[in-house]
Coordinates of all heavy atoms in Angstrom, one line a residue:
M85 N 114.6 83.7 151.1 CA 115.4 83.1 150.1 C 114.6 82.7 148.9 O 113.4 82.5 149.0 CB 116.1 81.9 150.7 CG 117.6 82.0 150.7 SD 118.5 80.5 151.2 CE 118.7 80.8 153.0
S86 N 115.3 82.6 147.8 CA 114.5 82.3 146.5 C 114.3 80.8 146.4 O 115.0 80.0 146.9 CB 115.4 82.7 145.3 OG 115.7 84.1 145.4
R87 N 113.2 80.5 145.7 CA 112.8 79.1 145.4 C 112.8 79.0 143.9 O 112.7 79.9 143.1 CB 111.5 78.8 146.0 CG 111.5 78.9 147.5 CD 110.1 78.5 148.1 NE 109.8 77.1 147.9 CZ 110.2 76.2 148.7 NH1 110.9 76.5 149.8 NH2 109.9 74.9 148.5
I88 N 112.8 77.7 143.4 CA 112.7 77.4 142.0 C 111.4 76.7 141.7 O 111.1 75.7 142.4 CB 113.9 76.6 141.5 CG1 115.2 77.4 141.8 CG2 113.8 76.2 140.1 CD1 116.5 76.6 141.6
E89 N 110.8 77.2 140.7 CA 109.5 76.5 140.3 C 109.9 75.7 139.0 O 110.4 76.3 138.0 CB 108.5 77.6 140.0 CG 107.1 77.0 139.7 CD 106.1 78.1 139.5 OE1 106.1 78.7 138.4 OE2 105.4 78.5 140.5
L90 N 109.6 74.5 139.0 CA 109.8 73.6 137.8 C 108.5 73.1 137.3 O 107.7 72.5 138.0 CB 110.7 72.4 138.2 CG 110.8 71.2 137.3 CD1 111.4 71.6 135.9 CD2 111.5 70.1 137.9
D91 N 108.3 73.4 136.0 CA 107.1 72.9 135.3 C 107.5 71.5 134.7 O 108.1 71.5 133.6 CB 106.6 73.9 134.3 CG 105.3 73.5 133.7 OD1 105.0 72.3 133.7 OD2 104.6 74.4 133.1
R92 N 107.2 70.4 135.3 CA 107.6 69.1 134.8 C 107.0 68.8 133.5 O 107.5 68.0 132.7 CB 107.3 68.0 135.9 CG 108.2 68.1 137.0 CD 108.2 66.9 137.9 NE 109.0 67.1 139.0 CZ 110.4 66.9 139.0 NH1 110.9 66.5 137.9 NH2 111.1 67.2 140.0
D93 N 105.8 69.3 133.3 CA 105.1 69.0 132.0 C 105.9 69.6 130.8 O 105.8 69.1 129.7 CB 103.7 69.5 132.0 CG 102.8 68.7 133.0 OD1 103.2 67.6 133.3 OD2 101.8 69.2 133.4
R94 N 106.5 70.7 131.1 CA 107.3 71.4 130.0 C 108.7 70.8 129.8 O 109.2 70.8 128.7 CB 107.4 72.9 130.3 CG 106.2 73.7 130.0 CD 106.5 75.2 130.4 NE 105.5 76.0 130.0 CZ 105.5 76.8 129.0 NH1 106.5 76.8 128.1 NH2 104.4 77.6 128.7
C95 N 109.3 70.4 130.9 CA 110.7 70.0 130.8 C 110.9 68.9 129.9 O 110.2 67.9 129.9 CB 111.2 69.6 132.2 SG 112.9 69.0 132.2
E96 N 111.8 69.0 128.9 CA 112.1 67.9 128.0 C 113.5 67.3 128.2 O 113.9 66.5 127.4 CB 112.0 68.5 126.6 CG 110.6 69.0 126.2 CD 110.5 69.7 124.9 OE1 111.6 70.0 124.3 OE2 109.4 70.0 124.4
G97 N 114.1 67.6 129.3 CA 115.3 66.9 129.7 C 116.5 67.2 128.9 O 117.4 66.4 128.7
H98 N 116.6 68.4 128.3 CA 117.8 68.8 127.5 C 119.0 69.0 128.4 O 120.1 68.8 127.8 CB 117.5 70.1 126.7 CG 116.4 70.0 125.8 ND1 116.3 69.1 124.8 CD2 115.2 70.7 125.7 CE1 115.2 69.3 124.1 NE2 114.5 70.2 124.7
G99 N 118.9 69.4 129.6 CA 120.0 69.5 130.5 C 120.8 70.7 130.4 O 121.9 70.8 130.9
L100 N 120.3 71.7 129.7 CA 121.1 73.0 129.6 C 121.2 73.6 130.9 O 122.2 74.2 131.3 CB 120.4 73.9 128.6 CG 120.3 73.4 127.1 CD1 119.6 74.4 126.3 CD2 121.7 73.1 126.6
C101 N 120.2 73.5 131.7 CA 120.2 74.1 133.1 C 121.3 73.4 133.9 O 122.0 74.1 134.6 CB 118.8 74.0 133.7 SG 118.2 72.3 133.8
E102 N 121.4 72.1 133.8 CA 122.4 71.4 134.5 C 123.8 71.8 134.1 O 124.7 71.9 134.9 CB 122.2 69.9 134.3 CG 123.1 69.0 135.1 CD 123.0 67.6 134.8 OE1 122.7 67.2 133.6 OE2 123.1 66.8 135.7
E103 N 124.0 72.0 132.8 CA 125.3 72.4 132.4 C 125.8 73.7 133.0 O 126.9 73.9 133.3 CB 125.3 72.6 130.8 CG 125.5 71.3 130.1 CD 125.5 71.6 128.6 OE1 126.0 72.6 128.1 OE2 125.0 70.7 127.9
I104 N 124.8 74.6 133.2 CA 125.2 76.0 133.7 C 125.3 75.9 135.2 O 126.1 76.6 135.8 CB 124.1 77.0 133.3 CG1 124.2 77.1 131.8 CG2 124.3 78.3 134.1 CD1 124.0 78.5 131.3
A105 N 124.4 75.2 135.9 CA 124.3 75.2 137.3 C 124.1 73.8 137.9 O 123.1 73.5 138.4 CB 123.2 76.1 137.8
P106 N 125.2 73.0 137.8 CA 125.0 71.6 138.3 C 124.9 71.5 139.8 O 124.5 70.4 140.3 CB 126.4 70.9 137.9 CG 127.3 72.0 137.7 CD 126.5 73.2 137.3
E107 N 125.1 72.6 140.5 CA 124.9 72.6 142.0 C 123.4 72.6 142.3 O 123.0 72.3 143.4 CB 125.5 73.8 142.6 CG 127.0 74.0 142.4 CD 127.3 74.9 141.2 OE1 126.4 74.9 140.2 OE2 128.4 75.5 141.1
I108 N 122.6 73.0 141.3 CA 121.2 73.2 141.5 C 120.3 72.2 140.8 O 119.3 71.7 141.3 CB 120.8 74.6 141.2 CG1 121.6 75.6 142.1 CG2 119.3 74.8 141.3 CD1 121.5 77.0 141.6
Y109 N 120.7 72.0 139.5 CA 119.9 71.2 138.6 C 120.6 69.9 138.3 O 121.8 69.9 137.9 CB 119.6 72.0 137.3 CG 119.0 73.3 137.5 CD1 119.8 74.5 137.2 CD2 117.7 73.5 137.9 CE1 119.3 75.7 137.4 CE2 117.2 74.8 138.1 CZ 118.0 75.9 137.9 OH 117.5 77.1 138.0
R110 N 119.9 68.8 138.3 CA 120.5 67.5 137.9 C 119.5 66.6 137.3 O 118.4 66.4 137.7 CB 121.1 66.8 139.2 CG 121.8 65.5 138.8 CD 122.5 64.8 139.9 NE 121.6 64.3 140.9 CZ 121.9 64.0 142.1 NH1 123.1 64.2 142.6 NH2 121.0 63.5 142.9
L111 N 119.9 66.1 136.1 CA 119.0 65.1 135.4 C 119.4 63.7 136.0 O 120.5 63.4 136.1 CB 119.3 65.2 133.9 CG 118.7 66.3 133.1 CD1 119.2 66.3 131.7 CD2 117.2 66.3 133.2
D112 N 118.3 63.0 136.3 CA 118.6 61.6 136.8 C 118.7 60.7 135.6 O 118.7 61.1 134.4 CB 117.6 61.2 137.8 CG 116.2 61.0 137.2 OD1 116.1 60.9 135.9 OD2 115.2 60.9 138.0
D113 N 118.8 59.4 135.9 CA 119.1 58.4 134.8 C 117.9 58.4 133.8 O 118.1 57.9 132.7 CB 119.3 57.1 135.4 CG 120.6 57.0 136.1 OD1 121.5 57.9 135.9 OD2 120.8 56.1 137.0
D114 N 116.7 58.8 134.2 CA 115.6 58.8 133.3 C 115.3 60.1 132.7 O 114.3 60.4 132.1 CB 114.3 58.4 134.1 CG 114.4 57.0 134.7 OD1 115.0 56.1 134.0 OD2 114.0 56.8 135.8
A115 N 116.3 61.0 132.7 CA 116.2 62.4 132.2 C 115.1 63.2 132.9 O 114.5 64.0 132.3 CB 116.0 62.3 130.7
E116 N 114.8 62.8 134.1 CA 113.9 63.6 134.9 C 114.8 64.6 135.7 O 115.8 64.3 136.3 CB 113.2 62.8 135.9 CG 112.1 61.8 135.3 CD 110.9 62.6 135.0 OE1 110.5 63.5 135.7 OE2 110.3 62.3 133.9
L117 N 114.3 65.9 135.7 CA 115.1 66.9 136.4 C 114.8 66.9 137.9 O 113.7 66.8 138.3 CB 114.8 68.3 135.8 CG 115.7 69.4 136.3 CD1 117.1 69.2 135.9 CD2 115.2 70.8 135.9
E118 N 115.9 66.9 138.6 CA 115.8 67.0 140.1 C 116.4 68.4 140.5 O 117.4 68.8 139.9 CB 116.8 66.0 140.8 CG 116.4 64.6 140.8 CD 117.5 63.8 141.5 OE1 117.8 64.0 142.7 OE2 118.2 63.1 140.8
L119 N 115.7 69.0 141.4 CA 116.2 70.2 142.0 C 117.0 69.8 143.3 O 116.5 69.1 144.1 CB 115.1 71.2 142.4 CG 114.2 71.6 141.2 CD1 113.1 72.5 141.7 CD2 115.0 72.4 140.2
L120 N 118.2 70.2 143.3 CA 119.1 69.8 144.4 C 119.0 70.7 145.7 O 119.5 70.3 146.7 CB 120.6 69.7 144.0 CG 120.8 68.8 142.8 CD1 122.3 68.9 142.4 CD2 120.4 67.4 143.1
V121 N 118.3 71.8 145.5 CA 118.1 72.6 146.7 C 116.6 73.0 146.8 O 115.9 73.2 145.8 CB 118.9 73.9 146.6 CG1 120.4 73.6 146.6 CG2 118.5 74.7 145.4
D122 N 116.1 73.1 148.0 CA 114.7 73.6 148.2 C 114.7 75.1 148.1 O 113.8 75.7 147.5 CB 114.2 73.2 149.6 CG 113.8 71.8 149.6 OD1 113.4 71.3 148.5 OD2 113.8 71.2 150.7
E123 N 115.7 75.7 148.7 CA 115.8 77.2 148.7 C 117.2 77.5 148.1 O 118.2 76.8 148.4 CB 115.7 77.8 150.1 CG 114.3 77.5 150.6 CD 114.0 78.4 151.8 OE1 114.9 78.8 152.5 OE2 112.8 78.7 151.9
V124 N 117.3 78.5 147.3 CA 118.5 78.9 146.6 C 119.4 79.8 147.5 O 118.9 80.9 147.9 CB 118.3 79.6 145.3 CG1 119.6 79.9 144.6 CG2 117.3 78.8 144.4
P125 N 120.6 79.3 147.9 CA 121.4 80.2 148.8 C 121.8 81.4 147.9 O 122.0 81.3 146.7 CB 122.6 79.3 149.2 CG 122.5 78.1 148.3 CD 121.2 78.0 147.7
P126 N 122.0 82.5 148.6 CA 122.4 83.8 147.8 C 123.5 83.6 146.9 O 123.5 84.2 145.8 CB 122.7 84.8 149.0 CG 122.0 84.2 150.2 CD 121.9 82.7 150.0
E127 N 124.5 82.8 147.3 CA 125.7 82.7 146.4 C 125.5 81.9 145.2 O 126.3 82.0 144.2 CB 126.9 82.1 147.2 CG 126.7 80.7 147.7 CD 126.0 80.6 149.1 OE1 125.4 81.6 149.5 OE2 126.1 79.5 149.7
L128 N 124.3 81.2 145.1 CA 124.0 80.5 143.9 C 122.9 81.1 143.1 O 122.5 80.5 142.1 CB 123.6 79.0 144.3 CG 124.8 78.1 144.7 CD1 124.3 76.7 145.1 CD2 125.9 78.0 143.7
L129 N 122.4 82.2 143.6 CA 121.2 82.8 142.9 C 121.5 83.2 141.4 O 120.7 82.9 140.6 CB 120.8 84.1 143.7 CG 119.5 84.7 143.2 CD1 118.3 83.8 143.1 CD2 119.2 85.9 144.0
A130 N 122.6 83.8 141.2 CA 122.9 84.2 139.8 C 123.0 82.9 138.9 O 122.5 83.0 137.7 CB 124.2 85.0 139.7
K131 N 123.6 81.9 139.4 CA 123.7 80.6 138.6 C 122.3 80.0 138.4 O 122.0 79.5 137.3 CB 124.6 79.6 139.2 CG 126.1 79.9 139.0 CD 126.9 78.8 139.5 CE 127.4 77.9 138.4 NZ 128.4 77.0 138.9
A132 N 121.5 80.0 139.4 CA 120.1 79.5 139.3 C 119.3 80.2 138.2 O 118.6 79.6 137.4 CB 119.4 79.6 140.7
E133 N 119.5 81.6 138.2 CA 118.7 82.4 137.3 C 119.3 82.2 135.9 O 118.5 82.1 134.9 CB 118.8 83.9 137.7 CG 118.0 84.1 138.9 CD 118.2 85.6 139.4 OE1 119.2 86.2 139.1 OE2 117.2 86.0 140.1
A134 N 120.6 82.0 135.7 CA 121.2 81.8 134.4 C 120.7 80.4 133.9 O 120.4 80.3 132.7 CB 122.7 81.8 134.5
G135 N 120.7 79.4 134.7 CA 120.2 78.1 134.3 C 118.7 78.2 133.9 O 118.3 77.5 132.9
A136 N 117.9 78.9 134.6 CA 116.5 79.1 134.2 C 116.4 79.8 132.8 O 115.5 79.4 132.0 CB 115.8 79.8 135.3
R137 N 117.2 80.8 132.6 CA 117.2 81.6 131.4 C 117.5 80.7 130.1 O 116.9 81.0 129.1 CB 118.1 82.8 131.5 CG 117.5 84.0 131.9 CD 118.3 85.3 131.6 NE 119.7 85.2 132.0 CZ 120.1 85.5 133.2 NH1 119.3 85.9 134.1 NH2 121.4 85.4 133.5
V138 N 118.4 79.8 130.3 CA 118.8 79.0 129.1 C 117.8 77.9 128.7 O 117.9 77.3 127.7 CB 120.2 78.4 129.2 CG1 121.2 79.5 129.3 CG2 120.3 77.4 130.3
C139 N 116.8 77.7 129.6 CA 115.9 76.6 129.3 C 115.1 76.9 128.1 O 114.4 77.9 128.0 CB 115.0 76.4 130.5 SG 113.7 75.1 130.1
P140 N 115.2 76.1 127.0 CA 114.5 76.4 125.7 C 113.0 76.3 125.8 O 112.4 76.8 124.9 CB 115.1 75.3 124.8 CG 115.6 74.2 125.6 CD 116.0 74.8 127.0
V141 N 112.5 75.7 126.8 CA 111.0 75.6 126.9 C 110.4 76.3 128.1 O 109.3 76.1 128.5 CB 110.6 74.1 126.9 CG1 111.0 73.4 125.6 CG2 111.2 73.3 128.1
A142 N 111.3 77.1 128.7 CA 110.8 78.0 129.8 C 110.1 77.2 130.9 O 109.0 77.5 131.4 CB 109.9 79.1 129.3
A143 N 110.8 76.1 131.3 CA 110.2 75.2 132.4 C 110.6 75.7 133.8 O 110.1 75.1 134.8 CB 110.6 73.8 132.1
L144 N 111.6 76.6 133.9 CA 112.1 77.0 135.2 C 111.8 78.4 135.5 O 112.0 79.3 134.6 CB 113.6 76.8 135.2 CG 114.1 75.3 135.1 CD1 115.6 75.3 134.8 CD2 113.8 74.5 136.3
R145 N 111.4 78.7 136.7 CA 111.3 80.1 137.2 C 112.0 80.2 138.5 O 111.7 79.4 139.4 CB 109.9 80.5 137.3 CG 109.3 80.9 135.9 CD 108.1 81.9 136.1 NE 107.2 81.5 137.1 CZ 106.4 82.3 137.8 NH1 106.4 83.6 137.5 NH2 105.5 81.9 138.7
V146 N 112.7 81.2 138.7 CA 113.3 81.5 140.1 C 112.4 82.5 140.7 O 112.3 83.6 140.2 CB 114.8 82.0 140.0 CG1 115.3 82.2 141.3 CG2 115.6 80.9 139.2
L147 N 111.8 82.2 141.8 CA 110.9 83.1 142.5 C 111.7 83.7 143.7 O 112.2 83.0 144.5 CB 109.7 82.3 143.1 CG 109.0 81.4 142.0 CD1 108.0 80.5 142.8 CD2 108.3 82.2 141.0
S148 N 111.6 85.0 143.8 CA 112.3 85.6 145.0 C 111.3 86.1 146.0 O 110.1 86.1 145.8 CB 113.3 86.7 144.5 OG 112.7 87.5 143.5
Ligands
LIG484 S1 116.9 73.2 130.4 FE1 114.7 73.2 130.7 S2 114.0 71.4 129.4 FE2 116.2 71.2 129.8 S3 116.4 69.9 131.6 FE3 116.5 72.0 132.3 S4 114.4 72.5 132.8 FE4 114.3 70.7 131.5

């Protein structure tokens, strides 16, 4: 199964990833991004990848 790599130093908390895939990405009250899954289930893979693609600072990578 695929995993998501988050570069916390890059993430600026814009939340675009969360808008696209709230099942996977969530900003907490301090605008810190939380990953809601350790491994991406197949049915959410396309959304996980779409969320990673829209990140303006390329802080997300989906590793398969
Ligand atoms: S879109 Fe990128 S910068 Fe914005 S919260 Fe998600 S990972 Fe962080």
Side-chain angles (χ1 to χ4, degrees):
M85 242 186 264
S86 303
R87 299 181 67 87
I88 297 169
E89 189 178 79
L90 164 63
D91 185 338
R92 289 194 181 279
D93 290 339
R94 278 179 177 260
C95 176
E96 294 176 351
H98 299 300
L100 299 179
C101 54
E102 182 186 36
E103 278 180 32
I104 294 218
E107 303 91 334
I108 298 169
Y109 307 109
R110 183 171 69 199
L111 283 176
D112 69 13
D113 293 342
D114 298 320
E116 288 283 321
L117 188 65
E118 282 179 70
L119 298 176
L120 301 179
V121 297
D122 281 332
E123 297 197 332
V124 183
E127 65 272 19
L128 288 179
L129 183 56
K131 280 187 102 172
E133 289 174 337
R137 266 199 307 276
V138 295
C139 176
V141 294
L144 295 167
R145 281 206 312 157
V146 179
L147 311 170
S148 42

